[in-house]
């Protein structure tokens, strides 16, 4: 906070014991330091209080009436020694929650402020000393209830946040466990697949090793003279025998007929004449063939 300028004059000149009267000084800001326990800033043009104003914890009596204050600092409750507070005719709507910490407050005037309806009803009028004391007591009780409600709400929000955080953590843990289980299952499947491949390769290798042994065992048997396989039995043996017999009988019959036609008296018969003619033609044809002639010559020589 800065010291008073030309309008405020010398602060120490206005200090009367523990009381500092800066009323009617046309101030736009508070220029005081820890100079007094009683401070009068009424009838100025203050719209706000500086951030370090609440450091004046020595204040016992404070008059801020007839200014243009729209709100009090959030840490206004630091003025724990404050007993008398005049906020008449400002533009206050609410009070900070820390107001509940002003446990030594005995007198309060909130008239002529556009207060919140609930707060205005609690404060009531301050037309005399008794009503102002009642106002201080009722407003303190009200602000303590507000503070308790806000604390409960804060605790409730914290609990909700904690529960939400627990759910998020539980969900994350479940997700991580699921991912671990999935990785474990994939690893087991991969291991099983590799084991099957190994077994298949091992089996194929054993088969490859067995083949040369089989061939080596079979080769000596073939060389050592295994028994020749029996020819397959001839089919229809009896039929062939019958056919041969018939052909032989036919041949004998033809030969007999030919002899009969050439030697016996039957040669004059028409049938034998035809047979003899065929025979003579066949013999003449065969004799024309060189090989047959040679055979006949050899046969005649014998």
């Amino acid at each position: 906070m800065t010291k008073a300028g030309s309008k405020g004059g010398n602060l120490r000149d206005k200090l009367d014991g523990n009381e500092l009267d800066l009323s009617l000084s046309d101030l736009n800001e508070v220029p005081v330091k820890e100079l007094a326990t009683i401070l009068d800033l009424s009838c100025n043009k203050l719209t706000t209080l500086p951030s370090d104003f609440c450091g004046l914890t020595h204040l016992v009596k404070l008059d801020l009436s007839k200014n243009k204050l729209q709100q009090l600092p959030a840490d206004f409750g630091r003025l724990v020694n404050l007993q008398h507070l005049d906020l008449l005719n400002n533009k206050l709507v609410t009070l900070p929650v820390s107001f509940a910490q002003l446990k030594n407050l005995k007198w309060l005037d909130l008239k002529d402020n556009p207060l919140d309806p609930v707060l205005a009803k609690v404060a009531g009028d301050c037309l005399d000393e008794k009503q102002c004391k009642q106002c201080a007591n009722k407003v303190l009780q009200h602000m303590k209830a507000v503070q308790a409600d806000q604390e409960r709400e804060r605790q409730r929000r914290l609990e909700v946040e904690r529960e939400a955080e627990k759910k998020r953590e539980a969900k994350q843990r479940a997700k991580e466990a699921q991912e671990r289980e999935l990785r474990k299952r994939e690893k087991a499947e991969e291991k099983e697949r590799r084991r099957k491949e190994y077994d298949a390769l091992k089996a194929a290798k054993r088969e490859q090793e067995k083949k040369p042994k089989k061939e080596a065992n079979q080769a000596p048997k073939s060389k050592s003279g295994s028994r020749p396989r029996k020819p397959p039995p001839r089919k229809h043996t009896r039929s062939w025998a019958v056919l041969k017999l018939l052909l032989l009988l036919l041949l004998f019959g033809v030969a007999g007929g030919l002899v009969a036609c050439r030697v016996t008296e039957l040669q004059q018969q028409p049938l034998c004449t035809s047979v003899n003619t065929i025979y003579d033609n066949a013999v003449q044809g065969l004799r024309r063939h060189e090989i047959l002639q040679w055979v006949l010559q050899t046969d005649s020589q014998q």
Side-chain angles (χ1 to χ4, degrees), residues 53-289:
F53 180 83
C54 297
L56 303 176
T57 56
H58 57 284
L59 287 177
V60 175
K61 183 176 181 179
L62 176 61
D63 191 348
L64 293 170
S65 61
K66 298 181 182 179
N67 279 282
K68 299 180 181 181
L69 295 171
Q70 297 178 3
Q71 62 181 7
L72 298 178
D75 58 346
F76 193 80
R78 291 174 60 195
L79 302 177
V80 291
N81 291 312
L82 198 60
Q83 297 180 17
H84 185 108
L85 177 59
D86 196 342
L87 294 171
L88 171 72
N89 196 10
N90 277 278
K91 297 183 179 182
L92 298 171
V93 177
T94 60
L95 297 174
V97 177
S98 65
F99 200 91
Q101 299 172 12
L102 301 178
K103 57 184 179 181
N104 291 314
L105 190 64
K106 305 298 182 185
W107 193 96
L108 176 63
D109 191 355
L110 287 172
K111 287 194 309 296
D112 300 331
N113 279 282
L115 296 174
D116 175 80
V118 176
L119 179 60
K121 184 177 180 180
V122 171
D125 294 326
C126 184
L127 301 177
D128 55 31
E129 187 74 12
K130 182 179 179 180
Q131 287 183 345
C132 290
K133 288 182 177 181
Q134 289 177 349
C135 175
N137 184 52
K138 289 180 180 180
V139 169
L140 278 179
Q141 295 301 321
H142 173 71
M143 294 309 299
K144 286 178 181 179
V146 171
Q147 186 181 45
D149 290 342
Q150 288 192 0
E151 180 62 21
R152 281 193 296 270
E153 179 62 21
R154 187 181 71 85
Q155 292 295 334
R156 188 191 68 79
R157 285 198 300 269
L158 287 175
E159 185 64 24
V160 170
E161 290 176 1
R162 281 195 293 267
E163 289 297 324
E165 183 64 22
K166 286 181 180 178
K167 289 181 179 180
R168 283 194 296 270
E169 290 176 355
K171 188 175 180 180
Q172 183 64 25
R173 286 194 298 270
K175 183 179 178 181
E176 290 174 355
Q178 187 176 7
E179 290 175 352
R180 285 195 301 271
E181 184 64 25
L182 179 61
R183 287 194 298 269
K184 185 178 178 181
R185 186 163 59 249
E186 289 176 349
K187 188 176 180 180
E189 290 174 355
E190 177 65 16
K191 186 176 180 181
E192 180 64 17
R193 184 186 65 80
R194 291 174 63 186
R195 187 188 66 78
K196 288 181 179 179
E197 289 179 355
Y198 174 77
D199 291 344
L201 289 173
K202 196 172 180 181
K205 187 176 180 181
R206 283 197 300 267
E207 287 297 323
Q208 290 293 332
E209 291 174 351
K210 285 179 181 178
K211 283 183 179 180
K213 291 181 179 179
K214 274 187 178 181
E215 293 173 356
N217 293 332
Q218 291 175 357
K221 288 183 181 179
S222 60
K223 289 179 181 179
S224 62
S226 58
R227 293 181 181 177
R229 290 184 296 175
K230 293 181 179 180
R234 294 181 180 180
K235 297 181 179 179
H236 310 295
T237 304
R238 184 174 298 178
S239 299
W240 279 108
V242 173
L243 183 59
K244 286 178 181 180
L245 180 59
L246 291 175
L247 289 174
L248 185 59
L249 292 174
L250 179 61
L251 184 59
F252 283 135
V254 172
L258 182 60
V259 170
C261 285
R262 289 192 68 83
V263 176
T264 66
E265 295 176 353
L266 295 175
Q267 59 182 342
Q268 299 300 325
Q269 296 294 326
L271 178 61
C272 286
T273 302
S274 299
V275 170
N276 289 331
T277 302
I278 294 170
Y279 174 77
D280 292 338
N281 291 335
V283 170
Q284 289 176 5
L286 289 173
R287 284 182 177 180
R288 291 191 192 101
H289 198 281

